[in-house]
Amino acid sequence: MHFLGHVVRFIVSAIVLMVVGWIVPQFSVGGFWSALLLALVIALLGWVIEGIFGKRVSPFGRGIVGFVVSALVIYIAQFIVGGVSVTILGAVLAALVIGIIDLFIPVSAFNAAKDHK
């Protein structure tokens, strides 16, 4: 069940990235597989940054630092994943839209609910 939760999280993240690519100018994702790989790369980059700098500087953290790091991670991820094109403004807008979507569909809430069972 733990593995299935991760799979669902990455599928939801890929769908969110595709929606963001449709909404945000200067941010485009080639298709579902590019979005899924982008979600994986963003998660891995976030994990590395969190491991090096701590939770406060993580792209998953709240506040202005988390927002700026999220935009930076999105911008860097385009160089790793094919079919993704992002400008700096597109990365900032994408981080903003993803943050707003996260308010309504928080991925961490699924993990918190699962951990309390």
Side-chain angles (χ1 to χ4, degrees):
M1 184 73 177
H2 188 66
F3 175 75
L4 184 60
H6 288 297
V7 170
V8 169
R9 181 183 342 166
F10 281 113
I11 290 172
V12 169
S13 296
I15 292 169
V16 166
L17 287 169
M18 290 181 69
V19 168
V20 169
W22 183 66
I23 293 173
V24 174
Q26 302 178 16
F27 180 90
S28 66
V29 180
F32 178 75
W33 295 111
S34 292
L36 192 62
L37 187 57
L38 182 62
L40 180 64
V41 168
I42 288 171
L44 288 174
L45 287 174
W47 179 72
V48 168
I49 290 171
E50 186 176 312
I52 294 171
F53 297 108
K55 196 94 169 146
R56 293 184 149 245
V57 183
S58 166
F60 310 112
R62 301 285 184 214
I64 189 71
V65 174
F67 173 74
V68 170
V69 172
S70 293
L72 185 62
V73 165
I74 291 168
Y75 184 76
I76 291 171
Q78 76 170 328
F79 299 113
I80 300 170
V81 180
V84 177
S85 175
V86 183
T87 64
I88 293 174
L89 178 60
V92 169
L93 292 173
L96 179 65
V97 171
I98 290 169
I100 291 169
I101 291 173
D102 189 49
L103 288 173
F104 298 104
I105 309 172
V107 175
S108 61
F110 295 116
N111 291 335
K114 185 174 59 175
D115 291 341
H116 286 105
K117 287 186 178 181

